[in-house]
Each structure stands twice: as structure tokens, then as C-alpha cells.
Amino acid sequence: MKKILKYFAFAAIALVFIGTFVFLYQKSRPEEIRYNEHTATVMDIQRSTVVTGKITPRNEVAIKPQINGIIAELYKEAGQQVQENEVIAKLKVIPDMQSLSSAESRVRLAELNLKQAQTDYNREKALYDRNLVSAEEYDKYNQSLSQAKEELASAKDVLEVIRDGVSSSNAKSSSTLVRSTITGLILDIPVKVGNSVIQANTMNDGTTVAAVADMNDLIFDGKIDETEVGSLSEGMPVVITIGALQNYSFDATLEYISPKAEENNGINQFQIKAAVSVDTDQMIRSGYSANAEIVLKDASQVLTVPESALEFEDDKIFVQLKQADGSFERTEITTGLSDGVNIQVLSGLSEGDVVRGTRII
């Protein structure tokens, strides 16, 4: 019985050794190298570039006050439509004390001149009624009185404008009312009731009360690398996609290419603009990030192979062409347009030829 157990033990050990030997032998054998194969096919090919940028209105206007003051009322808010000359806000005037003092002084002087002109006119009229002076002399005093009255009315108007922002004789065009200069959508109202605002002058741009734009006239504004700008021309079609609007794209037309580069982190870029055509029922917001795809070159129905099948040596291009016996032979070809995945073959291959690609891992 013991001998039988010994035989079994020896047999088990032998099997382990043999199995290990077979396993190690199989692992040590070189693996068969396999490659992808590609067929030369006829297809349309195009080289395009994608430019990042944003959607902006062509004409965005900053509405500023005509006088210094404090926002007393706001009649509109961002997102609302506004018509040209429609009131957006009303101001409470803060008069400049020097200007106010000068206007009050002008009114007082005009009142004195009017009083004197009235006295002279009354005296002259009494003489004229008794035929003691000529009509010509009388007309002079009458004209002086009219001028004095006009000067007083003008001085009062100026005083009212400086003090109240509006004169009683021209209330409809009050400078206390901030009006839109265009018809469009209010994009932003950066002020609140109680904020102080100042008018634009040579020393200051003035306070923006509202930003208004025509959202029916939009453009794509982006920048393209100098290596690709030479392939662009005005009038080229552009396809715009907006990240915030999934599965939505629309057409545009390239209308501007900057003649001057702008350096950005050591890279020269050129600004481009494209006129956007969008559906009226699609809400496009100002400032949306967008991508513009521009076709730089294209070729129809040309012979192509994947770029991954190419081999390069001494400015020459080769492929491994499959032979009738299944082997591969290195063959020189000439290439043309590439889209980054497939490349046009000008010579060296025929439709249906099979070439070796990348190694299968």
C-alpha cells in the first residue's frame, strides 16, 4: 500500500514539473504580430478649422445721462424690449453750485434790464401818443422792451434746467429723463435707484444707465491662429455651434478678418467676425461661448487612406501595400489634402488596394 502511495506522489510531482515546463515554453514563444488593414477608398475630404469665440450683438449702445444727478426712478429692467426715445430712468438733479449761482445772477440782471426797458418804453410811448417823437424812435424802445423780456425768459429757462433738469417751456425734452437712443433689448441696467450718475465729458466717460442692443443682428467674434488665417477669405460659409444650446447649430458668413495680429501668450492671432443667421424663435443670449467651423479646403470623390497607414523617410511617404500572396511591400505614394484622419492619395495606389495600418495590441 505504501509503495502505491509513493508511486502516486511521484506521478503528481512529475505532472507538476511537466505542466510548468509546458507553460513556460508557451510563454517564451514570440507572439504573432498583427496589424490593422485599410482599403483605399474614394470619398469626399475636407480640411476645416474650429475657432472659439462668442456671440455678440453687432450694435450695443451704452445709454448715458445728459446731466449729473441721482437715479430717482427706473422704468425698465434687463431683458425687456425698449423703443427708440423710450424713457428708461428718471433723474433727480444735483445742481452745480457755481452754475446755479451764475444762472440766478443772470435772472436778477435780466429782471433789472426788463424793469429799465419797461420804464423807458412807457416814457417814450407817452411822448409818441402826443406826437412828440417819431414812429422810428418809438419802435426802437418797443424792440428793446421785447429783447429784455426774451432775455429774462431765457435766463429763467437756464436756471430751471440747472436747478430742476427741465424748463417749463420745454418739458417734453427734459434732461432728467434718460431715454434709449435705439430700439432693442435691454441687456443690463448696472445702476439702482439712489445711485449717483454723471454725464459724459472730456474728463470722464460718464455713467452707463443701461446697455441696449439689437438682438436680431448678431455676429460671431473669435480669433484664429496665424497659420490658418491665410486660407480665409471674406464671404466663406461658417457653421456656428453654441455649447449652451445642445444639438443646435446655425449658419454664418465670414465678413471680417483683422489686418493686424494680436499677440496672445506669444502666439499671433487674428480677429474674425461672421454675420450670424438664427431662427427668430430661438433665444440667443449675448456673450454665449461658441465654436465656428470653417472649411479651409475640400476635394470631392478622391482616393484616400487613413493617415495612420503612412510611413515617412527622407521627405518621402510610403505605405505597406498588401500583395496577392498576403505579404506586404513598401510602396512610395504622393499625397494631397488631409482632414486629420484621412489623406488624399495622388499617386501610387488604386481604389481597392489594401494597406497595412497600426499594430494590433
Side-chain angles (χ1 to χ4, degrees):
M1 186 67 181
K2 291 182 179 179
K3 289 183 178 182
I4 296 174
L5 292 175
K6 287 182 180 180
Y7 291 146
F8 273 114
F10 284 127
I13 293 172
L15 287 173
V16 170
F17 274 108
I18 293 171
T20 303
F21 176 76
V22 171
F23 174 76
L24 293 175
Y25 173 75
Q26 290 179 343
K27 290 291 289 183
S28 64
R29 293 181 63 188
E31 295 183 3
E32 180 184 0
I33 300 175
R34 297 189 301 162
Y35 293 88
N36 291 308
E37 295 182 357
H38 305 286
T39 303
T41 57
V42 174
M43 61 184 293
D44 295 337
I45 192 171
Q46 63 182 24
R47 182 167 70 89
S48 61
T49 185
V50 176
V51 181
T52 59
K54 61 182 180 179
I55 302 297
T56 62
R58 185 186 301 275
N59 184 27
E60 181 177 333
V61 178
I63 308 300
K64 300 179 184 291
Q66 300 178 17
I67 58 172
N68 300 334
I70 295 175
I71 300 293
E73 294 181 69
L74 286 172
Y75 301 110
K76 296 288 184 180
E77 60 183 26
Q80 291 183 326
Q81 289 286 336
V82 66
Q83 300 297 315
E84 183 179 354
N85 209 38
E86 188 174 355
V87 178
I88 296 176
K90 182 179 181 180
L91 303 182
K92 178 183 178 181
V93 176
I94 303 177
D96 177 74
M97 297 310 297
Q98 182 176 356
S99 300
L100 180 62
S101 177
S102 177
E104 290 174 341
S105 176
R106 180 182 171 186
V107 170
R108 291 192 296 268
L109 181 60
E111 289 174 340
L112 292 174
N113 290 337
L114 176 59
K115 184 177 180 180
Q116 183 62 48
Q118 186 68 55
T119 299
D120 293 342
Y121 170 78
N122 292 339
R123 183 186 306 114
E124 192 69 13
K125 188 174 185 305
L127 294 175
Y128 177 73
D129 290 341
R130 289 185 291 170
N131 296 321
L132 297 178
V133 294
S134 65
E136 183 179 354
E137 285 292 325
Y138 170 73
D139 288 342
K140 290 181 180 179
Y141 285 92
N142 188 25
Q143 183 179 2
S144 296
L145 177 62
S146 298
Q147 290 176 345
K149 290 179 179 179
E150 182 64 29
E151 173 61 25
L152 179 59
S154 176
K156 287 182 176 180
D157 278 349
V158 172
L159 176 60
E160 289 175 349
V161 170
I162 293 175
R163 185 186 59 209
D164 307 322
V166 57
S167 68
S168 55
S169 63
N170 197 17
K172 290 184 179 180
S173 60
S174 170
S175 54
T176 60
L177 301 178
V178 181
R179 302 174 183 271
S180 176
T181 56
I182 64 170
T183 296
L185 181 72
I186 298 178
L187 301 180
D188 185 28
I189 296 183
V191 296
K192 298 179 180 179
V193 173
N195 286 161
S196 297
V197 295
I198 58 175
Q199 69 183 99
N201 53 53
T202 55
M203 302 296 294
N204 196 295
D205 291 336
T207 305
T208 298
V209 175
V212 181
D214 180 5
M215 296 303 291
N216 294 319
D217 188 9
L218 302 174
I219 62 172
F220 169 83
D221 188 350
K223 293 181 180 179
I224 189 170
D225 190 83
E226 65 178 337
T227 58
E228 297 178 323
V229 72
S231 301
L232 300 184
S233 61
E234 295 178 0
M236 293 179 69
V238 181
V239 177
I240 306 292
T241 56
I242 296 177
L245 303 176
Q246 296 183 359
N247 301 321
Y248 181 72
S249 62
F250 47 89
D251 296 328
T253 303
L254 189 63
E255 65 176 22
Y256 172 78
I257 306 169
S258 174
K260 181 180 179 181
E262 299 177 14
E263 186 173 342
N264 184 16
N265 295 326
I267 300 175
N268 285 338
Q269 294 181 316
F270 291 81
Q271 182 185 32
I272 64 170
K273 295 180 181 180
V276 174
S277 301
V278 297
D279 299 330
T280 55
D281 59 347
Q282 180 65 50
M283 177 63 178
I284 305 295
R285 302 181 187 277
S286 176
Y288 266 154
S289 296
N291 291 329
E293 183 179 3
I294 308 173
V295 176
L296 303 177
K297 291 182 180 179
D298 60 359
S300 299
Q301 296 299 292
V302 295
L303 187 65
T304 65
V305 293
E307 283 197 22
S308 59
L310 303 184
E311 298 178 359
F312 301 89
E313 182 180 338
D314 298 332
D315 296 329
K316 295 181 180 181
I317 302 175
F318 301 88
V319 293
Q320 295 291 340
L321 178 62
K322 190 172 185 178
Q323 306 300 307
D325 60 0
S327 63
F328 289 90
E329 180 180 322
R330 199 181 197 202
T331 303
E332 183 179 357
I333 64 172
T334 56
T335 59
L337 182 63
S338 169
D339 63 2
V341 177
N342 297 305
I343 190 166
Q344 179 185 6
V345 178
L346 299 177
S347 65
L349 292 178
S350 301
E351 184 178 3
D353 284 347
V354 177
V355 296
R356 191 174 72 185
T358 55
R359 180 179 176 179
I360 299 175
I361 299 176

